[in-house]
Amino acid sequence: MAVAGTAPAPLPAAAARSGALRIFLRNPAGVAGLLVLLALGLLALLAGHLFPGDPLDMVAQPFLWPGADPAYPLGTDSLGRDVLAGIVHGARVSLLVGLAAAALSLVIGTVVGALAGYFGGLADALLTRLVELVQTVPGFLLVIVIVAIAGPSVSTIALAIGLASWPTVARLVRAEFRTLREADFVLAARSLGYRSRRIIFAEILPNALPPVIVTISVMVASAILIESALSFLGMGDPNVVSWGSMIGAGREVLRSAWYLTALPGGAIIVAVLSLNLVGDALNDALNPRLRQA
């Protein structure tokens, strides 16, 4: 917002969105990454229709190599389970965990960082110590402890990853709020008598979100990798199939049936690489200097 005698916000919201979208669409790597992610998301949504049975069911003879049977294009594993069905259903689990964990991290980190950066003083000192306390524990170790105590399930894994990842968002949001809290549009909002809650969430937060959005894309990728690592170690949800659990199941026959680890591993690489490409493109698109160029 802006009033007479004060400097306006850097760009109107509509113009900023239009400029960011235009820059994003000019990035072929970012567009390609987005298309791949949309395809993976569509596969995850349609997994129950494409492969209506339980992906953990034994449907054919074990160790069918990819291409050996048209009914199972990617072959079967050591128990005769369809590898393609497992990868498609695994996309649902891996993407769900990644998105849920990133969303939880975003909520907690944004609230903590906004309060610390806006109010400063004692609130900033206490919340910063809290962030530092959480960061003293290795993230993956914290996730393992939470999952071991609460029991392995998709919801528990997503919760554990989210609780271990929010300090990154909190630090970033705090830094943005410390920069923006003395901006002209914030001073104008205070002069109009706006309450702190409205200034935080309606005035400052929208201007602090661009770098956070870029970080979230990376956090989704990290959450997918952490879930895969947990499943590989046997700490994933035993009632569902995920890319990590498929890799873990195939490691014992790596020499004789390497495709059982290579195919789900390739799915993880494609998903993480696509998220990183989208994150890089968003970083360019949301850079205010590029928008104004």
Side-chain angles (χ1 to χ4, degrees), residues 26-252:
R26 290 176 181 172
N27 190 320
V31 173
L34 180 60
L35 292 177
V36 171
L37 288 178
L38 291 176
L40 289 176
L42 184 61
L43 283 177
L45 290 175
L46 299 178
H49 298 282
L50 296 174
F51 300 94
D54 188 344
L56 296 175
D57 287 344
M58 294 177 285
V59 295
Q61 70 180 69
F63 296 118
L64 281 177
W65 275 72
D69 189 337
Y72 309 103
L74 297 184
T76 59
D77 64 4
S78 59
L79 296 178
R81 297 174 294 195
D82 188 354
V83 174
L84 179 58
I87 290 178
V88 174
H89 280 270
R92 174 182 294 180
V93 174
S94 296
L95 293 177
L96 176 62
V97 169
L99 292 173
L104 179 61
S105 300
L106 176 64
V107 172
I108 299 176
T110 298
V111 171
V112 173
L115 294 178
Y118 179 77
F119 290 107
L122 180 61
D124 184 23
L126 292 176
L127 292 174
T128 301
R129 298 292 87 76
L130 175 62
V131 172
E132 292 174 348
L133 178 63
V134 176
Q135 288 188 315
T136 57
V137 182
F140 188 63
L141 178 60
L142 180 60
V143 171
I144 290 179
V145 171
I146 296 175
V147 173
I149 294 175
S153 67
V154 173
S155 57
T156 300
I157 293 172
L159 176 64
I161 297 174
L163 291 177
S165 304
W166 66 265
T168 301
V169 179
R171 283 186 173 275
L172 182 58
V173 172
R174 174 181 175 271
E176 291 293 318
F177 266 71
R178 285 175 62 88
T179 301
L180 295 172
R181 67 182 179 183
E182 302 299 333
D184 290 340
F185 68 92
V186 177
L187 298 178
R190 289 174 180 159
S191 68
L192 293 175
Y194 289 176
R195 294 185 176 182
S196 296
R197 182 173 60 182
R198 178 171 179 178
I199 294 175
I200 290 173
F201 292 104
E203 303 294 332
I204 303 180
L205 185 58
N207 292 279
L209 278 180
V212 177
I213 294 174
V214 176
T215 302
I216 288 301
S217 65
V218 178
M219 295 184 69
V220 173
S222 298
I224 291 175
L225 291 174
I226 293 174
E227 186 279 331
S228 300
L230 286 174
S231 298
F232 178 80
L233 295 174
M235 299 187 67
D237 190 336
N239 300 314
V240 298
V241 60
S242 71
W243 293 335
S245 65
M246 294 179 69
I247 295 175
R251 63 183 174 182
E252 297 180 356

Side-chain angles (χ1 to χ4, degrees), residues 19-34 213-214 217 273-287 290:
L21 179 60
R22 184 169 59 253
I23 295 174
F24 182 88
L25 293 178
R26 290 176 181 172
N27 190 320
V31 173
L34 180 60
I213 294 174
V214 176
S217 65
L273 178 60
S274 300
L275 285 165
N276 287 332
L277 291 176
V278 171
D280 290 340
L282 286 174
N283 185 42
D284 294 338
L286 298 175
N287 189 320
L290 294 179

